[in-house]
Amino acid sequence: MPKMKTNSAASKRVRVTGSGKLMHAGTGMRHNLEHKSAKKRRHLSTDEVLATSQAKKMRGLLGR
């Protein structure tokens, strides 16, 4: 039986931590950054843990 292919779109958006959690980059850091305060930009730039409901679906796409 052939190997299961990883969904490449999902693999570009999500990474798996050592403990198995799924991390994703937050929103709001694409444009209009000059209007946002430095504090807001700092907080938006951090990666966040993916919600459990979404993580279950993502694991299937990643083949895990």
Side-chain angles (χ1 to χ4, degrees):
M1 191 165 182
K3 291 182 181 177
M4 188 173 149
K5 284 192 176 179
T6 302
N7 185 304
S8 34
S11 65
K12 289 171 190 172
R13 286 163 176 76
V14 172
R15 65 185 173 81
V16 184
T17 63
S19 61
K21 292 179 188 171
L22 297 179
M23 302 291 286
H24 72 103
T27 59
M29 283 296 288
R30 296 292 185 195
H31 58 91
N32 296 341
L33 297 175
E34 59 196 10
H35 300 295
K36 293 169 186 158
S37 67
K39 181 180 178 180
K40 189 173 183 82
R41 286 193 305 251
R42 231 182 357 263
H43 285 290
L44 287 172
S45 67
T46 59
D47 291 350
E48 301 160 357
V49 179
L50 201 65
T52 49
S53 56
Q54 293 177 325
K56 188 176 180 183
K57 174 82 173 172
M58 264 307 171
R59 283 185 208 288
L61 294 172
L62 295 173
R64 291 182 168 260

